[in-house]
């Protein structure tokens, strides 16, 4: 019979394991610099408030990697993005492939 305490210990262990897994994949990656040739192709910025709204009229304030459908959330306000494989993008960043 599972007691409430046992259940809570399993929940805590599961959360810790998930957090450690997220930390592990992130440790293998480096942040994507804005001047990286691939980043420039997509006009990637680490701060979405710096997006040129004239150049990108579909950009809406609040759009950022964290809200992008393909963003893979990670630790320390950084995450993965399939477009920039092996790198970390800023949760508050943005590129012209935002969706
Ligand atoms: Fe960020 Fe989405 Fe662009 Fe990837 S595709 S860099 S998650 S806005």
């Amino acid at each position: 019979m599972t007691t409430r305490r046992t259940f809570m210990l399993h929940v805590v262990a599961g959360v810790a394991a998930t957090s450690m897994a997220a930390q592990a994949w992130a440790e293998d990656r480096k942040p994507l610099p804005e001047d990286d040739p691939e980043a420039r192709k997509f006009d990637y910025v680490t701060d979405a408030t710096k997006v040129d709204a004239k150049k990108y009229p579909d950009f809406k304030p609040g759009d950022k990697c964290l809200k992008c459908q393909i963003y893979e959330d990670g630790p320390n306000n950084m995450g993965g993005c399939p477009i920039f494989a092996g790198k970390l993008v800023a949760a508050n960043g943005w590129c012209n492939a935002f969706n």
Side-chain angles (χ1 to χ4, degrees), residues 47-82:
D47 180 355
T49 64
K50 295 180 179 171
V51 172
D52 183 348
K54 287 183 181 173
K55 188 173 181 181
Y56 296 106
D58 289 341
F59 174 82
K60 294 184 243 29
D63 286 352
K64 54 186 170 183
C65 293
L66 186 62
K67 294 183 177 177
C68 184
Q69 291 181 10
I70 62 173
Y71 179 72
E72 303 161 347
D73 200 15
N76 305 319
N77 292 322
M78 301 293 286
C81 173

Side-chain angles (χ1 to χ4, degrees), residues 82-93:
I83 291 178
F84 305 110
K87 301 282 187 180
L88 290 170
V89 296
N92 291 321

Side-chain angles (χ1 to χ4, degrees), residues 14-29:
V15 169
T18 301
S19 177
M20 288 170 61
Q23 190 81 35
W25 70 255
E27 284 175 0
D28 294 341
R29 304 180 189 196

